[in-house]
Amino acid sequence: MKGLEMLTARGMLVKVNSVLIPGVNDEHLIEVNREVKKRGAFLHNIMPLISEAEHGTVFGLTGQRGPSAQELKAVQDACMGGANLMRHCRQCRADAVGLLGEDRSDEFTQDKIDQMEVVYDLDKRRAYQQQVEATRQAQHEASRRRCRPAPAAPTGSTPTSRCWWPWPPRARAR
């Protein structure tokens, strides 16, 4: 956690990766999520353990199962309100550079990085981070205002959504 604090104090955007291991850290990851948010993590990625024996890992060789999709979603849902969650990754690499489906690692090898002139403007970086966070908060508030609880479901049925929008939409006053 000290390293996370040091990075965020210097204005770095930090994503924390955690691997969900059923029966080992499934309950603890909720606390981890709160703690990494307190220390300024920009994103927290909770991904499933990939434990197939053919990978040769201790978990795979000892029979530790990975979480089901429902278990992963339950832990991620329990972390809402903590650090921003990244939900689309199945397996991340610490050395990945670029976008999903667009690996750019070859552009950033150590010899190329050593030759780069890096100009880092901490004030500009912090201003951009504040802009991103303000936009994210505005989008979150807008979605909360649009969303209201679903009406009671008929007896014997299950509501399909936590939010309900009347249809057809009412005309808005201009």
Side-chain angles (χ1 to χ4, degrees):
M1 294 290 182
K2 179 76 171 161
L4 174 58
E5 291 171 353
M6 292 170 68
L7 289 168
T8 58
R10 288 167 176 77
M12 300 287 295
L13 289 178
V14 180
K15 177 186 78 150
V16 174
N17 286 334
S18 296
V19 177
L20 173 59
I21 307 170
V24 176
N25 67 352
D26 38 358
E27 294 180 16
H28 183 66
L29 284 177
I30 298 163
E31 180 183 349
V32 169
N33 183 267
R34 282 193 300 264
E35 292 301 316
V36 299
K37 180 181 182 175
K38 276 199 273 188
R39 288 167 173 82
F42 183 69
L43 280 175
H44 187 197
N45 180 23
I46 300 174
M47 59 189 142
L49 172 69
I50 298 175
S51 61
E52 288 79 14
E54 62 266 18
H55 293 292
T57 66
V58 171
F59 292 114
L61 296 174
T62 58
Q64 171 67 51
R65 70 176 182 82
S68 67
Q70 294 82 9
E71 289 170 319
L72 178 62
K73 183 178 183 319
V75 171
Q76 290 172 334
D77 288 349
C79 290
M80 293 304 294
N84 297 329
L85 288 176
M86 184 173 164
R87 292 177 178 246
H88 61 272
C89 276
R90 168 136 170 76
Q91 181 178 11
C92 286
R93 293 181 9 232
D95 64 342
V97 177
L99 303 172
L100 295 175
E102 182 187 315
D103 187 353
R104 297 179 56 197
S105 300
D106 290 339
E107 297 174 42
F108 297 93
T109 59
Q110 189 62 53
D111 61 319
K112 291 179 183 176
I113 291 172
D114 290 341
Q115 296 173 12
M116 289 180 181
E117 181 180 332
V118 178
V119 178
Y120 189 78
D121 184 338
L122 181 58
D123 292 332
K124 186 176 180 181
R125 181 70 173 189
R126 284 190 174 142
Y128 182 73
Q129 288 172 343
Q130 290 171 351
Q131 178 186 355
V132 168
E133 184 61 20
T135 300
R136 190 189 69 76
Q137 287 290 341
Q139 290 170 342
H140 178 72
E141 287 301 316
S143 71
R144 283 189 48 212
R145 283 192 298 273
R146 287 192 308 264
C147 180
R148 63 180 176 152
T155 305
S157 68
T158 304
T160 58
S161 174
R162 292 185 311 189
C163 296
W164 177 73
W165 290 269
W167 191 259
R170 294 185 199 120
R172 294 178 188 241
R174 293 187 193 232

